[in-house]
Amino acid sequence: MGDRYRLTRIAFDVVSVFGCLRASGVPGPIIVRILADHGYSASSVRNQLTRMAQRDLISLERCGRVTQYRLSPRILAQFRDISGDRELPEFTGRFHAALYTIPETSRPLRDRFQYVARMLGYRQLRAGVLIGFADRSHALRAQLPGDIDGGWYECTQIVPADLAAAKRMTAIAFELAGARRQIEEFEVEISRLGGPRDKPGAGLPELPIGRFFDLYYRVGRAVMENPLLPAEIVGSEQPSQRFRTFMDRCNLEYYLRYDQQVREAAAENAAFDLIEWLPEG
């Protein structure tokens, strides 16, 4: 997938400013000030804001001499999905699939197609074969023109021979082995945050906010990249739910360690009164 469609670390940190302040609109100088504590220069933050606006990840509005930024509906939906509760999908005995060949000459189109497919819950079983547990073919087709020069695509269904085959295919496409290894790594790192008695906020008392966000970013990406899967396929061991539990712990650690620091940094800036706060509760 092309870099245009990846949520990079600095883009994640920009988005996190809205969540940390619990705001729908944040002035540029506030974003620059808060991310200075993450180790970013003012110029790198401004350049990132420009790139994110060009990619329609954020919108902007001039308010006198200050630019006001807001998250796009797509990013808002993505982050609401992280925190929201969803029902497990069902396995009906078949996978919904997309078969495609999009040549290198149409790489931007292929990158967008693969990105949207992941956002819709499909994963790559092998080159040119995407599988998922829900029919999202209409949304997927909408990303491609009727004719692709030198390529083709088809939405269909794949019926595995039996449940064991379905489990093997799911493990490959959704990279379950890698997800379980990542769970073990996160368990070790998050346990350090609690110290010997596993008390939130008690471990690593001098941890800078930038280093904390190294972990926050990786946990956030894991949540976004690991959708909920049918219980018939993975049983009660849901990697997605484990990652969401880690995200809840990271949210608590952030609140205990850095919430006051971030709010004080924002309040010091002259643009503080332009912040558009989300309703409490």
Side-chain angles (χ1 to χ4, degrees), residues 119-143:
M119 292 300 99
L120 293 171
Y122 292 91
R123 293 295 184 272
Q124 185 168 289
L125 179 62
R126 52 163 295 174
V129 180
L130 301 169
I131 62 173
F133 294 100
D135 183 4
R136 300 286 187 262
S137 56
H138 291 296
L140 208 49
R141 286 192 184 100
Q143 305 305 316

PDB file of all heavy atoms in Angstrom, residues 119-143:
ATOM      1  N   MET A 119      -9.978  -0.693   4.910  1.00  0.00           N
ATOM      2  CA  MET A 119     -10.909   0.060   5.745  1.00  0.00           C
ATOM      3  C   MET A 119     -12.289  -0.609   5.780  1.00  0.00           C
ATOM      4  O   MET A 119     -13.023  -0.487   6.763  1.00  0.00           O
ATOM      5  CB  MET A 119     -11.048   1.495   5.242  1.00  0.00           C
ATOM      6  CG  MET A 119      -9.817   2.355   5.398  1.00  0.00           C
ATOM      7  SD  MET A 119      -9.267   2.546   7.119  1.00  0.00           S
ATOM      8  CE  MET A 119      -7.940   1.329   7.202  1.00  0.00           C
ATOM      9  N   LEU A 120     -12.621  -1.347   4.718  1.00  0.00           N
ATOM     10  CA  LEU A 120     -13.910  -2.035   4.640  1.00  0.00           C
ATOM     11  C   LEU A 120     -13.870  -3.427   5.259  1.00  0.00           C
ATOM     12  O   LEU A 120     -14.897  -4.109   5.308  1.00  0.00           O
ATOM     13  CB  LEU A 120     -14.361  -2.130   3.182  1.00  0.00           C
ATOM     14  CG  LEU A 120     -14.721  -0.803   2.498  1.00  0.00           C
ATOM     15  CD1 LEU A 120     -14.945  -1.018   1.009  1.00  0.00           C
ATOM     16  CD2 LEU A 120     -15.951  -0.180   3.136  1.00  0.00           C
ATOM     17  N   GLY A 121     -12.697  -3.857   5.722  1.00  0.00           N
ATOM     18  CA  GLY A 121     -12.603  -5.142   6.410  1.00  0.00           C
ATOM     19  C   GLY A 121     -12.013  -6.273   5.601  1.00  0.00           C
ATOM     20  O   GLY A 121     -11.924  -7.401   6.086  1.00  0.00           O
ATOM     21  N   TYR A 122     -11.578  -6.013   4.371  1.00  0.00           N
ATOM     22  CA  TYR A 122     -10.934  -7.058   3.565  1.00  0.00           C
ATOM     23  C   TYR A 122      -9.453  -7.135   3.921  1.00  0.00           C
ATOM     24  O   TYR A 122      -8.837  -6.165   4.330  1.00  0.00           O
ATOM     25  CB  TYR A 122     -11.053  -6.735   2.075  1.00  0.00           C
ATOM     26  CG  TYR A 122     -12.444  -6.807   1.501  1.00  0.00           C
ATOM     27  CD1 TYR A 122     -13.267  -5.680   1.474  1.00  0.00           C
ATOM     28  CD2 TYR A 122     -12.939  -7.992   0.963  1.00  0.00           C
ATOM     29  CE1 TYR A 122     -14.541  -5.725   0.931  1.00  0.00           C
ATOM     30  CE2 TYR A 122     -14.217  -8.046   0.417  1.00  0.00           C
ATOM     31  CZ  TYR A 122     -15.013  -6.914   0.406  1.00  0.00           C
ATOM     32  OH  TYR A 122     -16.275  -6.965  -0.132  1.00  0.00           O
ATOM     33  N   ARG A 123      -8.892  -8.352   3.737  1.00  0.00           N
ATOM     34  CA  ARG A 123      -7.457  -8.550   3.900  1.00  0.00           C
ATOM     35  C   ARG A 123      -6.938  -9.425   2.759  1.00  0.00           C
ATOM     36  O   ARG A 123      -7.685 -10.183   2.153  1.00  0.00           O
ATOM     37  CB  ARG A 123      -7.126  -9.185   5.257  1.00  0.00           C
ATOM     38  CG  ARG A 123      -7.422  -8.312   6.455  1.00  0.00           C
ATOM     39  CD  ARG A 123      -6.554  -7.072   6.500  1.00  0.00           C
ATOM     40  NE  ARG A 123      -6.766  -6.275   7.695  1.00  0.00           N
ATOM     41  CZ  ARG A 123      -7.668  -5.319   7.825  1.00  0.00           C
ATOM     42  NH1 ARG A 123      -8.499  -5.061   6.827  1.00  0.00           N
ATOM     43  NH2 ARG A 123      -7.774  -4.635   8.945  1.00  0.00           N
ATOM     44  N   GLN A 124      -5.636  -9.307   2.508  1.00  0.00           N
ATOM     45  CA  GLN A 124      -5.047  -9.993   1.357  1.00  0.00           C
ATOM     46  C   GLN A 124      -4.688 -11.438   1.687  1.00  0.00           C
ATOM     47  O   GLN A 124      -3.849 -11.700   2.543  1.00  0.00           O
ATOM     48  CB  GLN A 124      -3.809  -9.244   0.875  1.00  0.00           C
ATOM     49  CG  GLN A 124      -3.200  -9.827  -0.391  1.00  0.00           C
ATOM     50  CD  GLN A 124      -2.160  -8.908  -1.003  1.00  0.00           C
ATOM     51  OE1 GLN A 124      -2.485  -7.857  -1.548  1.00  0.00           O
ATOM     52  NE2 GLN A 124      -0.910  -9.292  -0.884  1.00  0.00           N
ATOM     53  N   LEU A 125      -5.330 -12.362   0.994  1.00  0.00           N
ATOM     54  CA  LEU A 125      -5.009 -13.779   1.141  1.00  0.00           C
ATOM     55  C   LEU A 125      -3.766 -14.124   0.341  1.00  0.00           C
ATOM     56  O   LEU A 125      -2.907 -14.889   0.795  1.00  0.00           O
ATOM     57  CB  LEU A 125      -6.190 -14.632   0.674  1.00  0.00           C
ATOM     58  CG  LEU A 125      -6.011 -16.152   0.746  1.00  0.00           C
ATOM     59  CD1 LEU A 125      -5.805 -16.604   2.195  1.00  0.00           C
ATOM     60  CD2 LEU A 125      -7.228 -16.856   0.143  1.00  0.00           C
ATOM     61  N   ARG A 126      -3.659 -13.584  -0.826  1.00  0.00           N
ATOM     62  CA  ARG A 126      -2.485 -13.681  -1.684  1.00  0.00           C
ATOM     63  C   ARG A 126      -2.560 -12.525  -2.666  1.00  0.00           C
ATOM     64  O   ARG A 126      -3.557 -11.787  -2.694  1.00  0.00           O
ATOM     65  CB  ARG A 126      -2.435 -15.015  -2.432  1.00  0.00           C
ATOM     66  CG  ARG A 126      -3.690 -15.379  -3.186  1.00  0.00           C
ATOM     67  CD  ARG A 126      -3.442 -16.460  -4.204  1.00  0.00           C
ATOM     68  NE  ARG A 126      -2.528 -15.977  -5.246  1.00  0.00           N
ATOM     69  CZ  ARG A 126      -2.033 -16.757  -6.209  1.00  0.00           C
ATOM     70  NH1 ARG A 126      -2.326 -18.046  -6.234  1.00  0.00           N
ATOM     71  NH2 ARG A 126      -1.243 -16.258  -7.136  1.00  0.00           N
ATOM     72  N   ALA A 127      -1.516 -12.337  -3.468  1.00  0.00           N
ATOM     73  CA  ALA A 127      -1.512 -11.220  -4.411  1.00  0.00           C
ATOM     74  C   ALA A 127      -2.751 -11.279  -5.309  1.00  0.00           C
ATOM     75  O   ALA A 127      -3.023 -12.308  -5.939  1.00  0.00           O
ATOM     76  CB  ALA A 127      -0.244 -11.259  -5.255  1.00  0.00           C
ATOM     77  N   GLY A 128      -3.509 -10.194  -5.326  1.00  0.00           N
ATOM     78  CA  GLY A 128      -4.682 -10.112  -6.183  1.00  0.00           C
ATOM     79  C   GLY A 128      -5.932 -10.751  -5.626  1.00  0.00           C
ATOM     80  O   GLY A 128      -6.957 -10.805  -6.318  1.00  0.00           O
ATOM     81  N   VAL A 129      -5.894 -11.227  -4.361  1.00  0.00           N
ATOM     82  CA  VAL A 129      -7.053 -11.882  -3.756  1.00  0.00           C
ATOM     83  C   VAL A 129      -7.301 -11.287  -2.374  1.00  0.00           C
ATOM     84  O   VAL A 129      -6.469 -11.431  -1.471  1.00  0.00           O
ATOM     85  CB  VAL A 129      -6.873 -13.405  -3.637  1.00  0.00           C
ATOM     86  CG1 VAL A 129      -8.114 -14.039  -2.999  1.00  0.00           C
ATOM     87  CG2 VAL A 129      -6.599 -14.030  -5.003  1.00  0.00           C
ATOM     88  N   LEU A 130      -8.424 -10.606  -2.204  1.00  0.00           N
ATOM     89  CA  LEU A 130      -8.835 -10.045  -0.918  1.00  0.00           C
ATOM     90  C   LEU A 130     -10.041 -10.819  -0.403  1.00  0.00           C
ATOM     91  O   LEU A 130     -10.934 -11.165  -1.178  1.00  0.00           O
ATOM     92  CB  LEU A 130      -9.224  -8.576  -1.073  1.00  0.00           C
ATOM     93  CG  LEU A 130      -8.153  -7.618  -1.607  1.00  0.00           C
ATOM     94  CD1 LEU A 130      -8.786  -6.282  -1.962  1.00  0.00           C
ATOM     95  CD2 LEU A 130      -7.052  -7.422  -0.584  1.00  0.00           C
ATOM     96  N   ILE A 131     -10.055 -11.090   0.907  1.00  0.00           N
ATOM     97  CA  ILE A 131     -11.206 -11.774   1.497  1.00  0.00           C
ATOM     98  C   ILE A 131     -11.686 -11.019   2.731  1.00  0.00           C
ATOM     99  O   ILE A 131     -10.920 -10.319   3.396  1.00  0.00           O
ATOM    100  CB  ILE A 131     -10.903 -13.245   1.874  1.00  0.00           C
ATOM    101  CG1 ILE A 131      -9.794 -13.318   2.938  1.00  0.00           C
ATOM    102  CG2 ILE A 131     -10.545 -14.054   0.644  1.00  0.00           C
ATOM    103  CD1 ILE A 131      -9.583 -14.746   3.482  1.00  0.00           C
ATOM    104  N   GLY A 132     -12.981 -11.155   3.021  1.00  0.00           N
ATOM    105  CA  GLY A 132     -13.571 -10.544   4.201  1.00  0.00           C
ATOM    106  C   GLY A 132     -14.815 -11.306   4.597  1.00  0.00           C
ATOM    107  O   GLY A 132     -15.215 -12.271   3.928  1.00  0.00           O
ATOM    108  N   PHE A 133     -15.456 -10.870   5.679  1.00  0.00           N
ATOM    109  CA  PHE A 133     -16.614 -11.582   6.203  1.00  0.00           C
ATOM    110  C   PHE A 133     -17.937 -10.856   5.936  1.00  0.00           C
ATOM    111  O   PHE A 133     -18.984 -11.340   6.336  1.00  0.00           O
ATOM    112  CB  PHE A 133     -16.438 -11.816   7.701  1.00  0.00           C
ATOM    113  CG  PHE A 133     -15.300 -12.746   8.012  1.00  0.00           C
ATOM    114  CD1 PHE A 133     -14.074 -12.250   8.412  1.00  0.00           C
ATOM    115  CD2 PHE A 133     -15.443 -14.116   7.867  1.00  0.00           C
ATOM    116  CE1 PHE A 133     -13.011 -13.102   8.683  1.00  0.00           C
ATOM    117  CE2 PHE A 133     -14.396 -14.976   8.130  1.00  0.00           C
ATOM    118  CZ  PHE A 133     -13.172 -14.466   8.543  1.00  0.00           C
ATOM    119  N   ALA A 134     -17.877  -9.717   5.275  1.00  0.00           N
ATOM    120  CA  ALA A 134     -19.095  -8.973   4.934  1.00  0.00           C
ATOM    121  C   ALA A 134     -19.001  -8.515   3.484  1.00  0.00           C
ATOM    122  O   ALA A 134     -17.902  -8.272   2.971  1.00  0.00           O
ATOM    123  CB  ALA A 134     -19.276  -7.771   5.861  1.00  0.00           C
ATOM    124  N   ASP A 135     -20.128  -8.421   2.840  1.00  0.00           N
ATOM    125  CA  ASP A 135     -20.171  -7.998   1.444  1.00  0.00           C
ATOM    126  C   ASP A 135     -20.075  -6.480   1.376  1.00  0.00           C
ATOM    127  O   ASP A 135     -21.022  -5.765   1.682  1.00  0.00           O
ATOM    128  CB  ASP A 135     -21.467  -8.484   0.788  1.00  0.00           C
ATOM    129  CG  ASP A 135     -21.522  -8.136  -0.697  1.00  0.00           C
ATOM    130  OD1 ASP A 135     -20.525  -7.597  -1.215  1.00  0.00           O
ATOM    131  OD2 ASP A 135     -22.559  -8.405  -1.322  1.00  0.00           O
ATOM    132  N   ARG A 136     -18.919  -5.983   0.983  1.00  0.00           N
ATOM    133  CA  ARG A 136     -18.696  -4.549   0.810  1.00  0.00           C
ATOM    134  C   ARG A 136     -18.387  -4.247  -0.655  1.00  0.00           C
ATOM    135  O   ARG A 136     -17.699  -3.285  -0.968  1.00  0.00           O
ATOM    136  CB  ARG A 136     -17.534  -4.084   1.698  1.00  0.00           C
ATOM    137  CG  ARG A 136     -17.748  -4.304   3.187  1.00  0.00           C
ATOM    138  CD  ARG A 136     -18.750  -3.312   3.747  1.00  0.00           C
ATOM    139  NE  ARG A 136     -18.852  -3.404   5.191  1.00  0.00           N
ATOM    140  CZ  ARG A 136     -19.789  -4.071   5.834  1.00  0.00           C
ATOM    141  NH1 ARG A 136     -20.735  -4.702   5.132  1.00  0.00           N
ATOM    142  NH2 ARG A 136     -19.813  -4.118   7.143  1.00  0.00           N
ATOM    143  N   SER A 137     -18.900  -5.076  -1.545  1.00  0.00           N
ATOM    144  CA  SER A 137     -18.540  -4.981  -2.964  1.00  0.00           C
ATOM    145  C   SER A 137     -18.960  -3.657  -3.592  1.00  0.00           C
ATOM    146  O   SER A 137     -18.233  -3.107  -4.433  1.00  0.00           O
ATOM    147  CB  SER A 137     -19.141  -6.152  -3.743  1.00  0.00           C
ATOM    148  OG  SER A 137     -20.553  -6.207  -3.570  1.00  0.00           O
ATOM    149  N   HIS A 138     -20.126  -3.119  -3.195  1.00  0.00           N
ATOM    150  CA  HIS A 138     -20.583  -1.863  -3.804  1.00  0.00           C
ATOM    151  C   HIS A 138     -19.622  -0.723  -3.463  1.00  0.00           C
ATOM    152  O   HIS A 138     -19.248   0.071  -4.333  1.00  0.00           O
ATOM    153  CB  HIS A 138     -21.995  -1.531  -3.330  1.00  0.00           C
ATOM    154  CG  HIS A 138     -23.044  -2.470  -3.857  1.00  0.00           C
ATOM    155  ND1 HIS A 138     -23.337  -2.564  -5.193  1.00  0.00           N
ATOM    156  CD2 HIS A 138     -23.843  -3.372  -3.232  1.00  0.00           C
ATOM    157  CE1 HIS A 138     -24.287  -3.477  -5.379  1.00  0.00           C
ATOM    158  NE2 HIS A 138     -24.603  -3.991  -4.199  1.00  0.00           N
ATOM    159  N   ALA A 139     -19.211  -0.643  -2.207  1.00  0.00           N
ATOM    160  CA  ALA A 139     -18.268   0.408  -1.803  1.00  0.00           C
ATOM    161  C   ALA A 139     -16.918   0.205  -2.467  1.00  0.00           C
ATOM    162  O   ALA A 139     -16.232   1.166  -2.826  1.00  0.00           O
ATOM    163  CB  ALA A 139     -18.120   0.415  -0.282  1.00  0.00           C
ATOM    164  N   LEU A 140     -16.523  -1.047  -2.643  1.00  0.00           N
ATOM    165  CA  LEU A 140     -15.230  -1.348  -3.245  1.00  0.00           C
ATOM    166  C   LEU A 140     -15.232  -0.999  -4.731  1.00  0.00           C
ATOM    167  O   LEU A 140     -14.290  -0.387  -5.238  1.00  0.00           O
ATOM    168  CB  LEU A 140     -14.928  -2.837  -3.055  1.00  0.00           C
ATOM    169  CG  LEU A 140     -13.463  -3.282  -2.993  1.00  0.00           C
ATOM    170  CD1 LEU A 140     -12.664  -2.425  -2.033  1.00  0.00           C
ATOM    171  CD2 LEU A 140     -13.398  -4.743  -2.589  1.00  0.00           C
ATOM    172  N   ARG A 141     -16.304  -1.358  -5.424  1.00  0.00           N
ATOM    173  CA  ARG A 141     -16.402  -1.051  -6.861  1.00  0.00           C
ATOM    174  C   ARG A 141     -16.386   0.452  -7.111  1.00  0.00           C
ATOM    175  O   ARG A 141     -15.919   0.920  -8.151  1.00  0.00           O
ATOM    176  CB  ARG A 141     -17.676  -1.654  -7.442  1.00  0.00           C
ATOM    177  CG  ARG A 141     -17.645  -3.161  -7.628  1.00  0.00           C
ATOM    178  CD  ARG A 141     -18.821  -3.615  -8.484  1.00  0.00           C
ATOM    179  NE  ARG A 141     -18.874  -5.060  -8.618  1.00  0.00           N
ATOM    180  CZ  ARG A 141     -19.682  -5.849  -7.915  1.00  0.00           C
ATOM    181  NH1 ARG A 141     -20.492  -5.320  -7.011  1.00  0.00           N
ATOM    182  NH2 ARG A 141     -19.672  -7.153  -8.096  1.00  0.00           N
ATOM    183  N   ALA A 142     -16.922   1.195  -6.152  1.00  0.00           N
ATOM    184  CA  ALA A 142     -16.998   2.647  -6.327  1.00  0.00           C
ATOM    185  C   ALA A 142     -15.617   3.292  -6.408  1.00  0.00           C
ATOM    186  O   ALA A 142     -15.486   4.432  -6.856  1.00  0.00           O
ATOM    187  CB  ALA A 142     -17.796   3.268  -5.182  1.00  0.00           C
ATOM    188  N   GLN A 143     -14.570   2.565  -5.982  1.00  0.00           N
ATOM    189  CA  GLN A 143     -13.218   3.117  -6.006  1.00  0.00           C
ATOM    190  C   GLN A 143     -12.517   2.903  -7.341  1.00  0.00           C
ATOM    191  O   GLN A 143     -11.428   3.421  -7.552  1.00  0.00           O
ATOM    192  CB  GLN A 143     -12.369   2.484  -4.885  1.00  0.00           C
ATOM    193  CG  GLN A 143     -12.965   2.600  -3.512  1.00  0.00           C
ATOM    194  CD  GLN A 143     -13.279   4.027  -3.153  1.00  0.00           C
ATOM    195  OE1 GLN A 143     -12.474   4.930  -3.404  1.00  0.00           O
ATOM    196  NE2 GLN A 143     -14.451   4.254  -2.568  1.00  0.00           N
TER     197      GLN A 143
END
